[in-house]
Amino acid sequence: MIAEHYNIIHLSTGSIFRKAMEEENELGQLIESFMNDGQLVPDQTVVDVVEETISSEEFDNGYIIDGFPRTVEQAVAFDDLLERRGETIDAFISLYVPDKELENRILSRNEGRSDDTREKVNVRLKVYQKETAPVLEYYQQAKMFRSVDGTGTVDEIFQRILSALPKKR
Ligand code: AMP
């Protein structure tokens, strides 16, 4: 919805990885065990995929990245990549949702994901606390940091996100 609103591309690292697994290509084989266990894919692999993806011309007018960076190492590598591309981040959106609600949403969404089981959700929440929560601290001081309440309906959350973002150009 955000990508559509701003007419920019939506890049989801998780979707790229799921597609690679479906295609059973080299990347898919490399990442499968991490994905299925609810663990993070190694930083270098993720950063290489992001760099290669955004090098395509269609990313020249802006993009929204969803699910990246998930570690401070990825954030540092992304800063370096952006500097080389002469780009800056307009906004970093942190959506806050209590663990219990995340678990309920994941267990009821029926998308057939191998990592959407109760056991894997617990692993993913632990990985989030250990690896991804520090990314918030990394960005928190920056002016473009936006913390948004991620509870409620999709429309409510979308409106909250839009009011936290710059006006359409
Ligand atoms: P998602 O679709 O964002 O929930 O991601 C699903 C899975 O893909 C994660 O649990 C990780 O195994 C992997 N993944 C996606 N994005 C990243 C990332 N930025 N860093 C490491 N692993 C990732």
Side-chain angles (χ1 to χ4, degrees), residues 13-14 17-18 35 39-41 46 67-68 70 74 113:
T13 44
F17 294 147
R18 274 186 292 281
M35 293 272 295
Q39 297 289 346
L40 294 182
V41 170
V46 183
F68 172 91
R70 272 234 236 323
Q74 291 178 20
R113 282 175 52 166

Side-chain angles (χ1 to χ4, degrees), residues 12-15 17-18 31 34-43 46 50 66-71 74 109 113 115-116 124:
S12 151
T13 44
S15 300
F17 294 147
R18 274 186 292 281
I31 59 156
F34 299 102
M35 293 272 295
N36 288 339
D37 289 349
Q39 297 289 346
L40 294 182
V41 170
D43 289 331
V46 183
V50 169
D66 163 10
F68 172 91
R70 272 234 236 323
T71 65
Q74 291 178 20
R109 67 182 171 183
R113 282 175 52 166
D115 56 351
D116 278 356
R124 287 158 65 194

Side-chain angles (χ1 to χ4, degrees), residues 71-91:
T71 65
V72 171
E73 287 74 12
Q74 291 178 20
V76 171
F78 189 48
D79 272 352
D80 175 63
L81 174 57
L82 290 177
E83 201 178 312
R84 281 187 273 126
R85 289 170 57 90
E87 291 174 347
T88 51
I89 301 175
D90 291 319

